[in-house]
Amino acid sequence: MATTLADLLDALGDEATLRTDTIDPLDFVDADRALALLGRTLQRLVDDGLTTWGGTDRERWVGEAARASAGGAAAVAARPGRLAQLAGAADDVVALMRDSLGCAQRWAIATAVVDAVGRLTALAERGDITDGRRRTLIVADASAIVVQRSAALDPPSALDSIPLDWAVPRPFSTSTAQLAVLVTESVAGLEHATRPAGEAMPIADYVAVCTALETFARSAATSWPGADPRLPDAARDAGQAWAAARTVLNPFDDGSRRPHLVAPLAVSHALQLHTALGRLAASSALNASSVEAATSLTTAVCQALQRVPLISDHLGAALTGWAIQGSVLAFARDLEPRDTRVTEYLAGFQRRGLVRSDAADLAPARAALSGARLLSVELATQIALPTRSTVARLGAANRYERSAETDQRVHRAALDAYQALHTYAGPPRGGRGPRR
Amino acid sequence: MPINPNLPAERRADPARIRAANLFDAAARRNLTIDPGARLQCLAAGQALIGALPAEAREAISRQSSAEPADPASLVRAALNVLGSLPTEQFAARDIRDAAEHGRRALRRLP
C-alpha cells in the first residue's frame, strides 16, 4: 500500500511502545540501529534549516539529538529488524521530499521524528551497549525532551504538517490488486509522479492526469449511495472542471502529444486509476462487492479525494514552468491577438505561425486549473473522513480552505468550467505539430 | 500510546496538569464538529495527564471546561503552552511527553 511519513513514524513509535517489556536483545539492537537512521534524518533536516535565519536553539537541539542518535550505533552487519526497516523507510521518504520542503515543514517533520527518538532511546538503553553509547543515548533523549518542550510552546500548524501526509507509492506494478488498493496506489502515484522536480511536466502527462481526475471526481458520486444529496452535484461540477482544465490546453503542444513506446510514469498511474474506476463502476452497477470490500473502497476513495487539491498544486507548478521556460508552442491564430505577433497571426496554421506561449497565453489554463482545484476542495469537504484517517492533515487543510471560500465563488467556478469546456471543445490541434 | 490509569495522587493534584487536561478536555467536548481523530488525541492527552478519574471529578472538570472558548485549535495550543511552560525536568516525565505528543497530533488535524 502507499504510505506516508506520518504512517511510518506512528508505526515506529507504536512498535517501540509494544516492546516496552521485551527482554529480547535483538530488539535493543534493532532500536539502536533505528535511532542511527533517524539521527541521519534529523541531521538532513538541520542541514537544510529549521528556521529562515538559522543557527537558533531549535537547530542546535535538533542537531544535538541527531548527532547523539547517530553516534556510535551498533554495527549494521546483521539483517535489520522491523524498527530499523521503518526508520530506514522514513529516512528515505524525507530524502525524497527534500527539495519540496520549507523551514516550517522541516520543523513539523523534525518534531514527529523526535517523538520516535524519545521512544527508541528508552528501548536501546536497555541493550548490552558500551558506556560511551549509553552516554550518547542519554544525550539523545535529553535533547529530544528539549525539542519536544520547544514544540509544545511553538507547535507546527496543520498546514505546515501536510508533508507528513504526502503519498509515497509502491513501485509501479500492473498487478490486479484489490480495488481499494489500486485506487489508493494510483492516486498516490499521481501525486508522486506530478511533484515538481527539475524539468517541467510534458503536456501529455498533464492531460492524462486531468482526465484521470475527471473520471475520479465523477466516480465519487457512485461511491456513496446514501450520501449527502449535494455530493452528486459536487462530483459532477468537479469532473466538469477537470475536463475544462484539460480542454483549454487543446491549442498547445510541446511535442509530447504523440504515441510513446513506454507510457510516462504519470500516464501509467492515470491509466491504472482509469482501470480501477472502470472496475469500480462495473462492481457498483452489479452490486457485486461484499460489504467489507465496499467499506474499504469507500474509505480509499474518500482518502484519495483529499489528495486531489495537492495534485492540482503540482499541475499549477507545471503551468508556471511552461510559462517561464516557453517550452509550450501554439499557433498565434489560436491565441489572443497581440500587436507583437501580427506576422505569425497572418501566417495562419503554418510553421511560421507558431509562437512560444508565455504566462498570458496560459492564463485560461491557469484559471481552469484553479477552478478545478476549488471544486475538488468542495468535493473533498463534502465527504466525512473516517476516524483513523491517514490523510487527516490534508482533510483539515481542505476544510480550512473551503471555510475561507464563499458558496458564490464555488458556483462561479462551476459556471466558468462549463463555459470553458464549450469554448475550447474539439480535438487538439492536429497535423504536423511542433516538436521539442 | 500508553495511558497511565493509576497516576499517583500528587501528580493528579498538580495544577498545571489539571489546567492542561481541562483544556484538552474542552477541545474534545465543546465542538462536536471537529475531526474525530483530533478529538481522540485530545481525550488521550487528557487521560495521560490526569489518568482515570472518578466520574464526579470528570464531571467537575467538564463543568469547568465549558467556560473555555470554543475554538478547539486554540484550546489545544493553550494546553500545549501550559505543558511547554513546565520546567524541563518536570516536562521529562513520560506522561507529560505523551500528552504533548497527543496534543501535537491533535493540532495537526485541526485547521
Side-chain angles (χ1 to χ4, degrees):
Chain A
M1 284 285 280
T3 187
T4 62
L5 186 55
D7 277 346
L8 292 168
L9 293 173
D10 287 354
L12 187 55
D14 291 346
E15 286 277 338
T17 308
L18 280 175
R19 293 171 199 201
T20 310
D21 300 324
T22 184
I23 50 166
D24 186 350
L26 285 179
D27 283 342
F28 305 140
V29 177
D30 193 19
D32 202 8
R33 293 178 56 194
L35 266 176
L37 290 161
L38 291 188
R40 196 167 68 179
T41 312
L42 287 175
Q43 191 59 55
R44 191 177 291 129
L45 293 169
V46 173
D47 290 346
D48 291 346
L50 301 174
T51 50
T52 40
W53 45 92
T56 59
D57 279 355
R58 192 178 278 186
E59 267 116 357
R60 183 180 148 218
W61 287 110
V62 177
E64 196 68 46
R67 281 185 293 280
S69 303
V76 288
R79 189 181 169 80
R82 174 86 177 139
L83 296 172
Q85 281 177 341
L86 285 167
D91 185 43
D92 286 349
V93 171
V94 175
L96 269 177
M97 54 175 65
R98 192 171 188 179
D99 292 339
S100 318
L101 296 175
C103 292
Q105 295 170 322
R106 281 192 286 272
W107 169 237
I109 293 174
T111 57
V113 174
V114 160
D115 288 341
V117 167
R119 294 189 181 283
L120 288 169
T121 45
L123 194 58
E125 273 172 2
R126 292 168 52 206
D128 182 19
I129 50 175
T130 62
D131 286 347
R133 180 57 179 158
R134 197 173 301 282
R135 276 195 295 276
T136 56
L137 287 179
I138 291 169
V139 172
D141 193 40
S143 315
I145 290 168
V146 176
V147 175
Q148 283 178 318
R149 187 165 166 260
S150 161
L153 289 168
D154 181 17
S157 67
L159 290 178
D160 292 335
S161 305
I162 284 179
L164 289 163
D165 270 349
W166 281 354
V168 184
R170 289 173 61 186
F172 183 76
S173 87
T174 51
S175 68
T176 50
Q178 204 189 348
L179 206 47
V181 177
L182 265 183
V183 170
T184 307
E185 287 295 334
S186 328
V187 175
L190 281 181
E191 185 195 321
H192 188 66
T194 53
R195 191 166 293 145
E199 202 177 330
M201 182 191 305
I203 280 193
D205 294 21
Y206 186 104
V207 168
V209 174
C210 288
T211 312
L213 294 181
E214 175 193 348
T215 322
F216 186 42
R218 289 186 198 278
S219 74
T222 56
S223 303
W224 283 269
D228 190 323
R230 289 174 303 169
L231 184 65
D233 287 346
R236 185 205 57 213
D237 288 346
Q240 193 163 265
W242 280 111
R246 165 175 53 84
T247 311
V248 293
L249 284 177
N250 277 352
F252 301 96
D253 200 354
D254 61 353
S256 65
R257 290 184 192 266
R258 60 185 161 80
H260 289 75
L261 288 176
V262 180
L265 195 57
V267 178
S268 303
H269 285 297
L271 288 171
Q272 193 183 45
L273 183 59
H274 266 296
T275 313
L277 295 173
R279 281 174 57 192
L280 167 67
S283 72
S284 56
L286 296 170
N287 204 8
S289 51
S290 66
V291 174
E292 197 179 317
T295 310
S296 71
L297 182 61
T298 306
T299 307
V301 172
C302 171
Q303 301 201 100
L305 276 173
Q306 307 298 324
R307 299 194 176 283
V308 175
L310 199 56
I311 299 175
S312 37
D313 289 342
H314 296 172
L315 296 181
L319 282 178
T320 307
W322 297 342
I324 291 172
Q325 295 166 10
S327 57
V328 171
L329 306 185
F331 287 108
R333 192 60 78 94
D334 279 334
L335 305 173
E336 280 289 310
R338 287 193 207 173
D339 291 348
T340 51
R341 289 179 179 167
V342 173
T343 317
E344 290 87 348
Y345 189 88
L346 292 175
F349 298 114
Q350 305 296 319
R351 202 175 181 80
R352 283 177 295 120
L354 283 170
V355 291
R356 286 189 183 277
S357 312
D358 57 18
D361 298 322
L362 290 165
R366 168 119 8 229
L369 180 66
S370 124
R373 188 186 190 289
L374 178 57
L375 291 166
S376 300
V377 169
E378 168 74 0
L379 177 60
T381 49
Q382 295 277 337
I383 297 158
L385 275 173
T387 309
R388 281 188 64 81
S389 168
T390 55
V391 289
R393 286 155 284 268
L394 284 176
N398 289 336
R399 284 197 299 278
Y400 176 74
E401 190 172 333
R402 178 61 185 90
S403 66
E405 294 288 355
T406 58
D407 288 348
Q408 204 177 4
R409 223 177 92 71
V410 175
H411 293 316
R412 184 76 245 171
L415 286 174
D416 287 347
Y418 180 79
Q419 200 175 0
L421 200 54
H422 289 85
T423 309
Y424 293 88
R429 175 73 50 209
R432 293 182 59 195
R435 293 283 181 268
R436 276 199 295 184
Chain B
M1 207 60 58
I3 290 173
N4 184 357
N6 299 311
L7 284 177
E10 67 275 10
R11 282 200 182 179
R12 284 195 207 170
D14 179 0
R17 277 172 188 274
I18 292 176
R19 169 85 183 130
N22 275 347
L23 290 162
F24 281 128
D25 207 60
R29 289 168 197 272
R30 281 298 300 277
N31 193 340
L32 295 178
T33 59
I34 69 168
D35 180 276
R39 192 179 305 132
L40 278 179
Q41 296 288 352
C42 289
L43 290 173
Q47 186 80 356
L49 285 172
I50 52 174
L53 285 180
E56 311 85 68
R58 175 66 70 188
E59 275 171 28
I61 283 186
S62 297
R63 275 198 301 278
Q64 216 174 327
S65 308
S66 60
E68 304 288 351
D71 174 21
S74 313
L75 290 168
V76 174
R77 217 168 272 128
L80 284 171
N81 261 294
V82 171
L83 297 180
S85 307
L86 291 171
T88 309
E89 55 277 14
Q90 209 175 333
F91 185 87
R94 188 70 253 176
D95 46 355
I96 300 265
R97 289 171 75 182
D98 281 347
E101 204 176 314
H102 283 302
R104 274 188 285 113
R105 284 189 187 183
L107 202 56
R108 284 178 204 154
R109 293 166 172 261
L110 295 169

